[in-house]
């Protein structure tokens, strides 16, 4: 986020925060712009897809574009702006044209599943530092869709926003876990399972032992999607279908 200068009384200069979305998509200073937000974003996303978020730097993006690092500051103020652009760009891959069916929980679970698919295509997305207000144009579209799915629910707007935030956090965590499991070796998974079984059998953890007995025979390579959907159903049902008194809902909505 850059700081745009504004004149104050007495000739002093103050600075006001400006997001990347308030900047021109193409450089406005100096010679005719050779690049754009879209070009910078495409390069940065490709770098992250290939080498993770740590591979993305102003220097490397400039190198890939065949320009000097200093020239990028005509388009972005720094790496945080790049992250904003990248996050918003891949958020745009979530299909928001899917019709809503009127069941808030089912519609949100389906939306979460589509969001997780994007996280799996771009594993670095789960490593972007979370910021409550990191929303660009496509992020706003996502939020609007999620809130529209909850339109039939009598909950305060603030609560609905919190539900979307929690849903997104769970999506990121599930995607990260699924990616890591895919990288783990079969031998390591087998060793971990054997340790847990042996430890639980000693009798010091009866509740763990009972829970693991119900899980006996589970395949570590089992499709993680059903677990994701079951969990999202449980969480969202508890959050969205909470029995909130009408008077309380009206009062919170007004505040």
């Amino acid at each position: 986020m850059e700081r745009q200068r504004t004149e104050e009384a007495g000739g002093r200069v103050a600075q006001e925060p400006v997001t990347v979305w308030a900047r021109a998509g193409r450089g406005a200073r100096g010679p005719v712009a050779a690049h754009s937000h879209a070009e910078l974003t495409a390069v940065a996303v490709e770098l992250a897809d290939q080498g993770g978020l740590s591979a993305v730097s102003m220097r490397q993006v400039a190198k890939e574009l065949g320009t000097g690092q200093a020239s990028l500051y005509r388009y972005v103020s720094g790496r945080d702006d790049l992250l904003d652009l990248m996050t918003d760009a891949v958020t745009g891959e979530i299909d928001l044209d899917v019709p809503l069916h009127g069941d808030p929980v089912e519609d949100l679970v389906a939306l979460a599943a589509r969001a997780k698919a994007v996280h799996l295509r771009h594993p670095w997305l789960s490593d972007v530092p979370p910021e409550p207000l990191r929303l660009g144009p496509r992020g706003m579209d996502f939020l609007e869709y999620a809130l529209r799915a909850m339109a039939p629910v009598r909950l305060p707007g603030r609560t609905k926003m919190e539900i979307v935030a929690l849903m997104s956090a769970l999506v990121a965590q599930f995607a990260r876990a699924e990616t890591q499991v895919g990288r783990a070796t079969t031998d390591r998974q087998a060793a971990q399972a054997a340790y847990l079984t042996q430890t639980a059998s000693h009798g010091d953890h009866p509740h763990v032992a009972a829970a693991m007995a119900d899980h006996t025979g589970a395949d570590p390579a089992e499709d993680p999607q059903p677990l994701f959907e079951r969990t999202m159903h449980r969480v969202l049902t508890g959050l969205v279908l909470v029995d909130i008194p009408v008077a309380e809902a009206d009062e919170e909505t007004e505040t």
Side-chain angles (χ1 to χ4, degrees):
M1 180 180 292
E2 80 169 343
R3 293 193 171 262
Q4 183 176 13
R5 296 185 174 182
T6 58
E7 294 295 330
E8 281 187 340
R12 298 182 62 183
V13 176
Q15 293 182 326
E16 295 180 353
V18 176
T19 71
V20 68
W21 312 111
R23 296 176 63 105
R26 293 183 177 273
R29 301 190 300 271
V32 176
H35 302 290
S36 67
H37 279 165
E39 292 173 280
L40 269 66
T41 303
V43 168
V45 168
E46 184 175 359
L47 287 170
D49 285 346
Q50 294 177 352
L53 205 58
S54 61
V56 180
S57 67
M58 297 290 284
R59 176 178 299 178
Q60 191 60 34
V61 170
K63 179 180 179 181
E64 294 293 323
L65 288 171
T67 187
Q69 181 176 339
S71 69
L72 296 189
Y73 293 100
R74 299 171 61 196
Y75 314 94
V76 294
S77 64
R79 190 169 183 268
D80 281 340
D81 277 2
L82 272 181
L83 294 181
D84 287 346
L85 291 169
M86 294 165 62
T87 301
D88 198 62
V90 297
T91 297
E93 296 179 17
I94 302 172
D95 187 358
L96 302 181
D97 291 328
V98 177
L100 295 173
H101 298 291
D103 183 326
V105 172
E106 293 295 334
D107 286 332
L108 287 178
V109 170
L111 176 62
R114 299 198 298 278
K116 184 168 76 76
V118 171
H119 275 261
L120 293 177
R121 285 201 299 272
H122 306 284
W124 54 267
L125 186 57
S126 299
D127 296 325
V128 175
E131 293 182 8
L133 302 180
R134 192 191 290 278
L135 287 175
R138 296 174 181 87
M140 289 290 287
D141 291 341
F142 176 88
L143 179 59
E144 177 69 19
Y145 184 96
L147 292 175
R148 185 157 55 90
M150 285 187 281
V153 180
R154 193 174 184 82
L155 284 174
R158 178 179 61 187
T159 301
K160 292 180 179 181
M161 297 274 281
E162 292 169 352
I163 290 172
V164 177
L166 178 57
M167 181 186 75
S168 297
L170 283 174
V171 166
Q173 288 299 325
F174 267 92
R176 181 182 292 112
E178 191 170 329
T179 300
Q180 293 301 325
V181 167
R183 294 171 181 169
T185 64
T186 303
D187 288 344
R188 176 172 172 78
Q189 291 176 344
Q192 290 171 329
Y195 167 76
L196 291 176
T197 301
Q198 181 181 10
T199 303
S201 67
H202 290 167
D204 295 332
H205 307 88
H207 294 288
V208 174
M212 290 186 64
D214 290 340
H215 201 60
T216 300
D219 182 2
E222 181 184 1
D223 182 2
Q225 188 64 16
L227 172 61
F228 171 75
E229 293 181 357
R230 288 197 305 271
T231 303
M232 295 303 297
H233 267 104
R234 290 168 182 158
V235 172
L236 290 171
T237 296
L239 293 173
V240 174
L241 302 185
V242 61
D243 186 13
I244 180 171
V246 174
E248 183 180 342
D250 291 339
E251 181 180 346
E252 289 194 34
T253 303
E254 294 172 1
T255 57

